[in-house]
Amino acid sequence: MSAPASPTAALLAFAGADHVLPDAARADAARLLADTLAVGAAGAMAPGAEAIRTTAEAMGAGGDARLIGSPGRLPAPAAAFVNGYRVHCLEWDAVHEPAVVHALSTVVAALGAAIDRRGGCEPDEALVALAVGVDIAAGLGLAATSGLTFFRPATAGVIGAALAAARIDGAPLDDTLGLAYSSAAGTMQPHVEGLATLPFQIANAARAAITASDLARAGFPGPRDPLEGEFGYFRLFDSGDLASYTRGLGKVWRIGEVSVKPFPSGRASHAALGKLQELALAPDAVDRIELACPPLVRRLVARPYRPGMTPAYARLCLQWLGALMLVDGVVDPRRFTPAHMADERLAGLARRIALVPDGNEDPNALFPQRLTVTFADGRRESHDIAHTLGSPGNPLTRAQAQAKHDLARDLAPADADPRIFDDPLAYFTGQP
């Protein structure tokens, strides 16, 4: 009797298998692809995007891969770099919440570049590669038991993205995995400081994913035990048990567990923002808003309001985001300007919002959360939030999904390919 396969071997077998997606998983893949492309087009004119594109163009003029949201082509690694930044820079991209991984961001950026330079592919081939890459990136996060120190959307994302691209490229999966791991990078420091370096780490991961596949296809070796080895992923980047994920491979498609982000802000802000949008409170009637939440939520979005904060900082500041929601009923990136952030009315509302401990010490938990509103007349009301808006347990309504689609289209450059919004799967796969 042969020895049972290691968890890494099981992951590689899953990455290369000839899958036929269940109808639900295929629909989820198509829906989330459309969401990711729309968000990427909206990010084409965000702060930092021009510097990213100019730097990518210096890597080599011309090429065979498109840029999401603007005309022109670049070599596949450079295009993946630009597109990865565009998808994540507005903090509007889909996320697997239990894994704490923005799995679509790196996978769509790298996979799209691989498909483009091959000259297109069939829709089902693209959706399977997408679902596999997302599953692996999310799975590495699900297997983790430690809190975030490295930026998991990049460190896990590069591995899922590289294996997805390798399916299209026909690259050896074992070397691709080892090379992707050897390229993994990114920490939580840019998050703490509120800098556009955070989406740059996604951009780097997408570029590294393409390079890993290319090198593996050229016969360049990667480490044989990159996940479970002495200096592997689960010794350096995260503590955890890979087998806890690989035991269920193929039984549950993790892409069905991914949450869509209704607002262009850190995901940890969305439970409170969704509840505030639902309540539609009169701003002047509010004396104080208090969110009792786990430590991860406070770590991610409890930073204090500052008049001179950067847009990247503001997207992770629940005080500011909550003030916008109270006044506008939405969160619009065009409000993230120095003039708006110095507005005294918004500043006053922001200072009435606080995040407080709830006694939960799980470093990866986002729930439970409880929003308590104290009104100017002394009344108080509390609301338990069981699921974040946009999650599988609390999906967007048709109207909410359309509102996001419309805002993304409005933010995208005028010369963005309209198929991104009207026929995203055909756009992604290069179909006529």
Side-chain angles (χ1 to χ4, degrees), residues 76 110-119 125 129 161-173 176 209-218:
L111 180 59
I115 290 171
D116 274 358
R117 72 176 175 188
R118 202 180 85 175
E125 184 181 9
L163 292 172
R167 287 183 66 99
I168 298 298
D169 293 337
L173 296 178
T176 298
I210 290 289
T211 301
S213 178
D214 286 348
L215 285 170
R217 190 168 43 162

Side-chain angles (χ1 to χ4, degrees), residues 136-203:
I136 291 169
L140 294 176
L142 288 171
T145 55
S146 50
L148 293 175
T149 51
F150 289 92
F151 186 48
R152 196 177 294 154
T155 58
V158 66
I159 293 171
L163 292 172
R167 287 183 66 99
I168 298 298
D169 293 337
L173 296 178
D174 51 356
D175 285 319
T176 298
L177 172 60
L179 290 163
Y181 167 68
S182 300
S183 307
T187 76
M188 290 297 289
Q189 191 60 36
H191 193 287
V192 170
E193 297 184 26
L195 299 174
T197 321
L198 201 67
F200 160 75
Q201 294 180 158
I202 292 287

